[in-house]
Amino acid sequence: MKANSWFDAVYQCQQQGKSYVLVTLLATAGSTPRDGGTKMLVCDDCTYDTIGGGHLEFEITKQARQLLLEDQTKQKVEHYPLSSKLGQCCGGATNVLFEVFTQHTQHIAIYGAGHVSRALVPILSQLPLQIRWIDNRQTLLDEIDHQALSSNVKLQYAEHPEDTLNTLPASSWVMIMTHNHQLDFDIVEAALGNQGISFVGMIGSETKARRFVTRLTHRDWPSADIKRLISPVGLLDIPGKQPIEVAVSMAAQIIQKLNTKSPSVDADKQAWRDNKLLFKSLVAEPLK
């Protein structure tokens, strides 16, 4: 749900680990759209509150987003004369303070908009994550209440979801749970082929996982890359077959990784080996 003010937006961004710029009008001279002390908050994809609108706000928003691209926490003061150059006829001037708050947030891409992901996303959206939720079924995405989604969740339609792997930020995590095993495999291959993806998890049974490993081996994938695939995904000592139970298991693993300074594939694999017997009661076939 979108925040109602810049103050609420600051709290929301901090909770979600999202970078932002707090813009403040400092000293003003002459006629200006808003008084000194007026604030607005700028993110990479939205703004909260206003410093008066018009071309001035447009230019300030543009400048704030350029500062976000520098990925550095900093402060900067700019002088803006409200002349015809800015499309303003107020005749005044203002100094603007840009306070850039950069937060290095973990990005995660969730492939599939079925029952498990619908239970999982609301849990993950409360964590300091930026979530991209991807599916190739527009009708399914249309069923989701977009207004109820947290601002750190972005729905994305992709005719070929596997093509989106190269658009993810470096060190992104991937959770694969589509409705189609072949599509799962295509996404797995694309994820393993992208060394910038630091975690590749896939929902499914042990049988499905073994078949995927066999297919990858037959396609001459290096064993080091094949070992990057974590399947079944989740903390496997959390039993249950219901979507919410599977989602909790997966969310628990994500929380564990968020709180581990140096997560490793070997640790993920060991957790899988230690708990795989308990997982047999969870899925005989992949939940969608």
Side-chain angles (χ1 to χ4, degrees):
M1 184 175 295
K2 187 172 181 177
N4 295 319
S5 68
W6 68 264
F7 183 82
D8 293 332
V10 167
Y11 175 78
Q12 188 175 87
C13 288
Q14 290 177 341
Q15 289 294 108
Q16 296 170 353
K18 188 171 185 177
S19 298
Y20 63 94
V21 180
L22 185 61
V23 175
T24 306
L25 297 187
L26 298 177
T28 59
S31 179
T32 57
R34 299 292 295 272
D35 296 330
T38 302
K39 298 178 183 289
M40 69 178 292
L41 184 140
V42 180
C43 296
D44 60 347
D45 58 352
C46 56
T47 62
Y48 301 87
D49 273 339
T50 177
I51 55 169
H55 200 61
L56 173 65
E57 185 168 306
F58 174 82
E59 287 297 326
I60 286 175
T61 300
K62 180 179 177 181
Q63 174 67 18
R65 287 177 174 155
Q66 288 175 341
L67 291 171
L68 281 174
L69 292 176
E70 296 177 9
D71 199 28
Q72 293 181 355
T73 296
K74 60 166 48 173
Q75 293 182 342
K76 183 178 183 179
V77 176
E78 291 280 357
H79 178 72
Y80 290 88
L82 304 182
S83 62
S84 58
K85 185 178 179 180
L86 276 179
Q88 307 279 151
C89 58
C90 301
T94 183
N95 290 334
V96 179
L97 170 64
F98 295 86
E99 296 178 275
V100 186
F101 297 88
T102 300
Q103 304 188 69
H104 296 285
T105 309
Q106 180 62 52
H107 290 255
I108 183 169
I110 297 174
Y111 289 89
H115 297 301
V116 173
S117 64
R118 293 193 193 198
L120 176 64
V121 168
I123 301 173
L124 297 186
S125 68
Q126 300 174 66
L127 301 173
L129 294 166
Q130 289 297 309
I131 303 165
R132 193 184 300 189
W133 194 4
I134 303 165
D135 203 288
N136 61 356
R137 297 165 291 176
Q138 186 63 57
T139 54
L140 206 62
L141 296 177
D142 290 341
E143 294 174 1
I144 298 171
D145 184 357
H146 293 217
Q147 297 298 318
L149 291 177
S150 178
S151 61
N152 61 332
V153 179
K154 305 300 178 187
L155 280 176
Q156 180 179 349
Y157 166 79
E159 184 177 358
H160 302 288
E162 65 275 16
D163 292 341
T164 66
L165 268 297
N166 288 329
T167 69
L168 299 179
S171 301
S172 289
W173 298 343
V174 168
M175 287 284 201
I176 303 166
M177 56 189 88
T178 80
H179 62 295
N180 183 287
H181 282 206
Q182 181 56 49
L183 179 56
D184 281 351
F185 187 78
D186 292 341
I187 296 171
V188 165
E189 283 203 299
L192 296 182
N194 185 338
Q195 296 301 315
I197 305 299
S198 60
F199 176 82
V200 183
M202 182 182 70
I203 195 173
S205 63
E206 291 183 57
T207 299
K208 177 183 177 183
R210 285 195 297 268
R211 287 174 178 171
F212 272 46
V213 169
T214 299
R215 291 181 67 184
L216 290 167
T217 302
H218 288 167
R219 293 196 178 198
D220 296 325
W221 276 88
S223 60
D225 285 330
I226 295 175
K227 289 178 180 178
R228 292 173 56 212
L229 174 62
I230 308 303
S231 183
V233 74
L235 293 188
L236 307 181
D237 54 347
I238 299 177
K241 296 183 178 181
Q242 296 298 318
I244 185 60
E245 294 169 328
V246 180
V248 166
S249 169
M250 297 170 73
Q253 185 176 41
I254 293 300
I255 292 170
Q256 187 180 68
K257 289 181 68 61
L258 283 172
N259 288 278
T260 302
K261 291 184 178 180
S262 301
S264 68
V265 172
D266 289 341
D268 292 322
K269 277 292 186 182
Q270 188 59 50
W272 175 28
R273 296 188 190 101
D274 291 345
N275 296 290
K276 65 181 181 179
L277 293 177
L278 292 172
F279 186 74
K280 289 182 178 179
S281 64
L282 195 150
V283 280
E285 291 297 330
L287 285 172
K288 305 298 177 200

